[in-house]
Amino acid sequence: MKVALFATCLVDTLTPSVARATATLLQRLGHEVVVPPGQSCCGQMHVNTGYRREAVPIVANHVRAFAGAEAIVAPSGSCVASIHHQQAAVARRAGEHRLADEAEELAGRTYELSQFLVDVLGVTDVGAYYPHRVTYHPTCHSLRLLKVGDRPYQLLRAVRGLELVELPGAEQCCGFGGTFAVKNADTSTAMLTDKMANVLGTHAEVCTAGDASCLMHIGGGLSRLRAGTRTVHLAEILASTEEAVTPDQQTRPAVSA
Amino acid sequence: MTATVPPKAPTFLGLPTAPRGVGHLRGDQSFPDAARGALRDGQLRANLGHATSTIRGKRAKVVDELPDWAQLREAGRALKAATMARLDDHLEELERQVTARGGVVHWARDANEANEIVTRLVQATGTSEVVKVKSMATQEIGLNEALEAAGLDVFETDLAELIVQLGEDKPSHILVPAIHKNRAEIREIFARTIPGVDPDLTDDPRQLAMAARTHLRERFLRARVAVSGANFAVAETGTLTVVESEGNGRMCLTLPETLITVMGIEKVVPTWRDLEVFLQLLPRSSTGERMNPYTSTWAGVTPGDGPQEFHLVLLDNGRTAVLADEVGREALHCIRCSACLNVCPVYERAGGHSYGSVYPGPIGAVLSPMLTGVEDNASLPFASSLCGACYDVCPVAIDIPSILVHLRAEHVEAVARDRERPTAEAVAFRGLAKVMSHPRLWHLAQRASRLGRLIARGKPTLPNALPPPVSGWTRSRDLPTPPRETFVESWVREHGS
Amino acid sequence: MSAREEVLSRVRQALGADRTPPEEVVRDYRLTDGRPAGDPALLELLVDRVEDYQATVLRCAPADVGATVRAALDQGLGSGWTAGDVVVAPGLAEDWRPAGCDVDDDRPAVQLADRAASVTAVAVAVAETGTLVLDGSPACGRRALSLLPDCLVCVVTADQVVGSVPEGLGRLDPLRPLTMVSGPSATSDIELQRVEGVHGPRTLLVVLAG
Ligand code: SF4
């Protein structure tokens, strides 16, 4: 299958290794990966901060960039949720009905990574090897908007060498919430503190998730604490093999197994 | 309540909102400022964490027990939506039925008018004491203050309301207004304020409840006027409903000669049958019980049983403005179960007082700004990480996150309309939107972000001391140093475009 | 414009001229429990649910209600009670009443606070939620009767026990003053911990006949 990769603005700019790992993984599974160069952002940050009118041209750019793609995959539950639940709505509210229809149609072919692997490709064992103690944080939009359910757990359980440990209070929000993390920094930090305590309580080397944004928040907090535990995106774990622990993984576990 | 009171009465979507200067819908601090103080209170956070996790567990257990919860929830949502679509007809029918059964119906445009009506009705009975059943509507309009200003003594009879009243505190939760207090703090309040209380009173919840019983018993027996709210009012029969636990509601609804019920206009339901849905959804969602201890219903006046004079005050106070908002009107479906508060990670940490309104938590963050007009509560729609836990538990499926996002835009657009020069944030977001919709500009901007590498000086993270708004992030979290190359750049370099 | 006219006209303005027609409400939740009223399994369920609220259930044959009410009062008041401690609903079946007890009349309601216990019938009982409904009929008595005495004894007959909330409400007259009772009065206002017994009767005893 020819898969168009939507890196998302945050991953593309700040953690490109996550997009690289997604591409590596899909190629290893025998699929052709294309990266439309006109891509930028899904528009979520604008919509969620109150700039829904300003988001319309961003949505239009996204639709333009991915026009004609057979399947679109993004390593971010939150961005995929925005594509599914927000893009067409903001276009329609602005009276851009054609754009709304196109966005809706594109959303139908857009998948979050774990859903794409399990539901579309029908694989849970992606042939990965990752000899570390890992805990999984189910990010809110993956969990509640996309309802990815236990797909990430299925994928992680099939990774050789990986020891999966349950995260207490897993379903509680980490406190990221986009601009919430800055506008309500104190509350956000209080939520982060509890999340980090739960993560550290598992004695995992790695905390993983399907959203680079939440991981940047949790990882940024753990790094500030100089805790040994690091954050690694699900795509990077799934891309790792005996031959190569994800080629460009920047967030290498601090403690080796 | 607000620092500056502009002369013009606020409106929202062309309809009058709840007036300023009366009631408890507006705080005197923004949410982030109020939350900052609350977050420093370790006792408060411990109390809230303990209480909300207890109730979350109970709710989950009794909800899972019902095989048809999803169907009940969908029926509840649809019933509320259908009711709102014909709200005028249902209100007129309710008025006809209540009147036909010996009740008197009053209409109140806003808090001031409702307070005047109730004060006048109480004064007409010649008594100086009023007993009250816990009611959100009367909290909202500041009825107690209005009655007290008229020289009347008001006694809250719900245990938590009593704790709040005796502690000269403010409610912080819809269902359990004193949730922010633990047993030791409650014991202290009772020991200090209840005349003649047993000096050996311990902090055992049973003993505390008994102290309240003794304190209020005599008041109930001599009360001549009671004021209540209502959970539901059935239009076709004129039947009012109060759902409660302690029996203080029954005391107030049964013993006095006169009963005055203040009810928001959105509480009407069309038919008696509709209660078969709501009386299953409400108790399981609120106290986590299969059914609350007492539910009382009455239609008008019953000779020989209960109050022989009954007044129903139908309150707007901004509700029609909420109704005018096609996205936000769903907030009027709320049955005040408080499940959304109990699951909210922001509420659990910041506490109810941070919201500045009698309606805290997720529902408060959407309802208060619409009742007052968004600009009077502009920080509330932003007081959420949009995690969506509230929507999942809401028994009538109110999509709170979507309304929050909608109100954020209403605020941004109102500011854009009212200000001559755009805010720095608006400039930034507009600029970014332009950049993000033109790939060439976007790539330039991404390259510019690499300037961050200069200040990182080879470290994997940026320094902590950065100017606002970035400092909001870096005070507690490291920011990664931007990489040498973006993903798309490197891919294009390797594969061509 | 009167407040009434103004509020109604605001509602109409808010809904707009071409208001969306009310949507169809689908009632595909359980309308009945599937078991007929009085089914033995429903009686079991009712007992389980009522006891879960820390109330006491005494079961008996229909002919033994009178004796079982007295046994319930023994439990609620201790065996030293006298007929004068107990007030019953005026329409309560003669053979259910303790001999010589006080029968409620049109005295001021607050005087009922002087009695230690009251005995009433119910209109319907919902097994799934452990709820008894009193409807103000002569057998159930006025509302104050089941409220002021500290111990409440309710007699339920098997044919009154239905499975679900919809079935229960279907049997009731919404024009009567109804009181739905699920256990003794309780509060969860202190640390969300349930404490039984506040302003309403602190002791609830249910006599289930059949
Ligand atoms: S919004 Fe929903 S969950 Fe929150 S109090 Fe209202 S009904 Fe309950």
Side-chain angles (χ1 to χ4, degrees):
Chain A
M1 194 186 278
K2 187 164 161 177
V3 184
L5 179 58
F6 173 40
T8 76
C9 63
L10 184 103
V11 163
D12 187 32
T13 314
L14 289 178
T15 56
S17 58
V18 172
R20 177 66 63 171
T22 310
T24 308
L25 170 65
L26 292 169
Q27 285 172 328
R28 194 175 75 220
L29 294 170
H31 300 280
E32 186 190 340
V33 174
V34 293
V35 178
Q39 63 178 280
S40 64
C41 173
C42 61
Q44 178 182 209
M45 186 175 64
H46 279 77
V47 178
N48 285 354
T49 312
Y51 296 88
R52 61 183 165 204
R53 279 189 213 146
E54 289 77 2
V56 175
I58 304 177
V59 172
N61 180 70
H62 181 84
V63 168
R64 226 172 12 247
F66 287 91
E70 186 184 342
I72 302 145
V73 173
S76 161
S78 186
C79 305
V80 172
S82 175
I83 290 167
H84 281 246
H85 298 289
Q86 292 183 328
Q87 284 196 341
V90 293
R92 219 173 283 292
R93 191 178 175 97
E96 305 256 7
H97 294 287
R98 218 176 102 208
L99 177 60
D101 292 344
E102 286 169 354
E104 226 155 54
E105 201 255 335
L106 203 69
R109 287 178 281 130
T110 305
Y111 304 91
E112 181 273 336
L113 179 63
S114 74
Q115 289 186 319
F116 185 71
L117 293 171
V118 176
D119 299 349
V120 181
L121 301 184
V123 288
T124 48
D125 185 350
V126 296
Y129 171 73
Y130 197 77
H132 300 285
R133 188 176 162 93
V134 175
T135 194
Y136 171 75
H137 167 56
T139 54
C140 300
H141 293 179
S142 298
L143 179 76
R144 302 199 179 89
L145 288 172
L146 293 179
K147 312 225 180 291
V148 301
D150 70 343
R151 291 175 188 82
Y153 295 100
Q154 289 182 35
L155 291 160
L156 287 167
R157 269 188 224 110
V159 173
R160 277 187 309 290
L162 186 147
E163 184 195 349
L164 187 61
V165 283
E166 201 191 315
L167 178 63
E171 298 193 352
Q172 278 245 352
C173 178
C174 69
F176 171 63
T179 41
F180 172 78
V182 176
K183 285 186 189 253
N184 280 283
D186 300 288
T187 307
S188 169
T189 300
M191 291 159 71
L192 172 62
T193 304
D194 293 345
K195 179 60 70 181
M196 290 194 297
N198 282 325
V199 168
L200 295 174
T202 66
H203 299 290
E205 300 158 59
V206 166
C207 171
T208 190
D211 274 277
S213 48
C214 306
L215 286 179
M216 190 172 84
H217 169 75
I218 302 171
L222 290 170
S223 148
R224 178 62 57 85
L225 291 183
R226 299 177 187 279
T229 305
R230 302 292 183 88
T231 50
V232 176
H233 194 281
L234 178 67
E236 294 178 288
I237 292 179
L238 298 180
S240 299
T241 59
E242 272 93 340
E243 290 71 45
V245 168
T246 322
D248 301 306
Q249 188 174 304
Q250 293 169 334
T251 47
R252 201 178 296 279
V255 193
S256 54
Chain B
M1 303 294 306
T2 43
T4 51
V5 181
K8 191 166 63 100
T11 61
F12 182 58
L13 300 169
L15 284 158
T17 61
R20 296 184 180 127
V22 58
H24 302 285
L25 287 171
R26 296 166 174 89
D28 38 25
Q29 273 184 308
S30 74
F31 183 87
D33 289 340
R36 197 166 303 124
L39 287 163
R40 275 198 291 263
D41 186 342
Q43 183 68 61
L44 172 71
R45 274 176 72 184
N47 294 354
L48 277 174
H50 169 70
T52 54
S53 66
T54 306
I55 194 78
R56 280 201 298 270
K58 285 172 71 181
R59 176 203 163 270
K61 195 168 145 263
V62 293
V63 164
D64 286 350
E65 205 176 87
L66 285 190
D68 54 349
W69 184 257
Q71 288 86 341
L72 284 166
R73 182 170 182 256
E74 170 52 26
R77 188 203 61 75
L79 278 169
K80 283 289 185 181
T83 307
M84 293 309 147
R86 283 183 47 205
L87 186 59
D88 45 352
D89 298 346
H90 297 309
L91 288 171
E92 286 186 290
E93 178 66 12
L94 176 67
E95 179 184 43
R96 262 193 299 279
Q97 296 299 331
V98 169
T99 310
R101 307 195 198 297
V104 183
V105 176
H106 310 259
W107 299 72
R109 279 168 274 231
D110 59 28
N112 288 319
E113 193 165 16
N115 288 337
E116 279 160 29
I117 293 169
V118 178
T119 308
R120 185 164 36 78
L121 291 171
V122 174
Q123 282 169 338
T125 66
T127 182
S128 64
E129 268 187 20
V130 180
V131 285
K132 273 190 76 209
V133 197
K134 184 179 137 33
S135 127
M136 293 309 300
T138 59
Q139 286 275 2
E140 170 192 324
I141 61 177
L143 178 64
N144 290 9
E145 290 86 336
L147 293 174
E148 280 159 9
L152 300 163
D153 288 326
V154 184
F155 297 98
E156 290 289 354
T157 63
D158 169 78
L159 178 52
E161 291 283 7
L162 178 70
I163 296 164
V164 168
Q165 194 182 34
L166 293 177
E168 294 179 22
D169 199 352
K170 282 184 179 169
S172 70
H173 189 275
I174 296 177
L175 178 75
V176 196
I179 196 170
H180 55 290
K181 295 282 185 216
N182 66 22
R183 57 183 77 187
E185 293 166 307
I186 295 167
R187 191 212 85 92
E188 184 279 320
I189 292 172
F190 279 13
R192 181 163 48 82
T193 59
I194 296 183
V197 76
D198 176 2
D200 296 330
L201 183 71
T202 72
D203 64 4
D204 171 29
R206 178 173 306 276
Q207 275 202 32
L208 295 169
M210 288 314 113
R213 176 184 166 105
T214 315
H215 174 61
L216 287 172
R217 186 89 181 163
E218 210 204 310
R219 300 240 147 65
F220 285 133
L221 297 181
R222 67 168 190 243
R224 287 168 53 203
V225 182
V227 172
S228 85
N231 292 92
F232 308 100
V234 179
E236 68 170 357
T237 56
T239 307
L240 275 293
T241 310
V242 165
V243 172
E244 54 130 357
S245 294
E246 295 168 11
N248 63 310
R250 295 184 63 195
M251 293 283 186
C252 294
L253 301 173
T254 312
L255 298 180
E257 293 142 28
T258 302
L259 172 63
I260 305 166
T261 299
V262 181
M263 177 191 113
I265 52 173
E266 81 283 17
K267 295 275 168 247
V268 67
V269 296
T271 71
W272 171 248
R273 241 197 115 178
D274 301 336
L275 292 188
E276 73 189 22
V277 175
F278 295 117
L279 289 183
Q280 295 195 72
L281 291 173
L282 180 55
R284 288 181 199 254
S285 300
S286 60
T287 48
E289 291 163 314
R290 297 184 178 109
M291 191 62 90
N292 49 290
Y294 298 129
T295 296
S296 297
T297 78
W298 71 98
V301 168
T302 307
D305 189 347
Q308 295 303 296
E309 200 180 314
F310 171 54
H311 297 273
L312 177 63
V313 182
L314 296 173
L315 174 73
D316 181 352
N317 205 38
R319 284 162 177 75
T320 47
V322 183
L323 189 66
D325 186 325
E326 282 180 40
V327 179
R329 69 169 60 134
E330 232 181 63
L332 293 177
H333 299 183
C334 174
I335 57 174
R336 309 276 189 266
C337 73
S338 72
C340 60
L341 280 61
N342 300 329
V343 297
C344 179
V346 173
Y347 175 87
E348 184 179 335
R349 287 166 185 85
H353 293 156
S354 299
Y355 294 79
S357 158
V358 288
Y359 302 110
I363 184 62
V366 294
L367 192 58
S368 310
M370 287 194 286
L371 289 172
T372 61
V374 182
E375 293 320 291
D376 279 15
N377 266 309
S379 68
L380 288 185
F382 296 88
S384 165
S385 65
L386 303 178
C387 82
C390 48
Y391 183 19
D392 270 13
V393 292
C394 177
V396 289
I398 300 174
D399 185 354
I400 296 175
S402 291
I403 306 177
L404 286 165
V405 168
H406 164 70
L407 294 177
R408 291 177 183 187
E410 290 293 322
H411 166 63
V412 164
E413 287 159 20
V415 169
R417 266 196 310 273
D418 296 349
R419 282 175 60 121
E420 264 167 46
R421 282 208 265 132
T423 60
E425 183 194 271
V427 171
F429 271 86
R430 277 183 212 143
L432 190 59
K434 177 136 194 259
V435 165
M436 284 177 155
S437 47
H438 294 88
R440 204 175 46 80
L441 295 178
W442 173 236
H443 294 145
L444 284 173
Q446 284 180 307
R447 241 168 261 159
S449 78
R450 245 165 266 159
L451 292 173
R453 295 179 69 80
L454 295 178
I455 54 172
R457 304 207 208 156
K459 298 219 182 85
T461 58
L462 296 178
N464 307 344
L466 288 168
V470 189
S471 59
W473 179 277
T474 51
R475 228 175 317 166
S476 58
R477 292 148 289 203
D478 286 338
L479 255 188
T481 300
R484 215 175 293 282
E485 210 177 17
T486 69
F487 168 69
V488 173
E489 262 176 344
S490 69
W491 186 272
V492 169
R493 182 169 47 72
E494 291 160 19
H495 299 80
S497 53
Chain C
M1 212 185 323
S2 71
R4 177 184 190 279
E5 288 314 310
E6 186 161 342
V7 172
L8 286 170
S9 92
R10 286 179 190 174
V11 171
R12 292 181 188 121
Q13 188 189 334
L15 290 170
D18 51 335
R19 59 173 80 176
T20 25
E23 55 184 302
E24 177 96 30
V25 177
V26 182
R27 295 182 191 264
D28 57 355
Y29 49 84
R30 292 170 307 143
L31 294 173
T32 68
D33 170 84
R35 289 169 285 197
D39 186 281
L42 287 182
L43 304 188
E44 292 292 329
L45 185 62
L46 179 73
V47 173
D48 176 75
R49 295 294 149 95
V50 170
E51 287 180 343
D52 195 42
Y53 295 128
Q54 311 300 317
T56 307
V57 184
L58 292 84
R59 300 191 63 170
C60 66
D64 299 335
V65 171
T68 314
V69 166
R70 287 195 301 276
L73 289 166
D74 286 345
Q75 275 200 31
L77 302 180
S79 50
W81 61 275
T82 63
D85 294 331
V86 181
V87 55
V88 305
L92 194 74
E94 286 287 343
D95 56 345
W96 292 2
R97 301 178 184 182
C101 67
D102 185 9
V103 179
D104 189 22
D105 45 29
D106 52 10
R107 76 191 85 174
V110 290
Q111 291 181 9
L112 292 165
D114 302 340
R115 297 286 172 266
S118 59
V119 185
T120 75
V122 307
V124 64
V126 178
E128 188 172 279
T129 58
T131 304
L132 317 176
V133 190
L134 281 65
D135 69 353
S137 59
C140 295
R142 57 176 161 166
R143 285 173 286 174
L145 177 67
S146 56
L147 174 64
L148 290 173
D150 202 15
C151 168
L152 171 63
V153 178
C154 286
V155 183
V156 180
T157 58
D159 58 306
Q160 292 179 312
V161 181
V162 299
S164 69
V165 171
E167 286 166 282
L169 292 193
R171 285 186 170 209
L172 293 164
D173 178 356
L175 300 183
R176 287 178 168 284
L178 303 175
T179 306
M180 305 179 192
V181 178
S182 307
S185 77
T187 181
S188 304
D189 281 353
I190 300 168
E191 298 183 11
L192 285 167
Q193 250 181 41
R194 189 177 153 105
V195 175
E196 278 84 19
V198 199
H199 303 294
R202 285 179 283 191
T203 309
L204 173 66
L205 297 132
V206 179
V207 173
L208 176 56

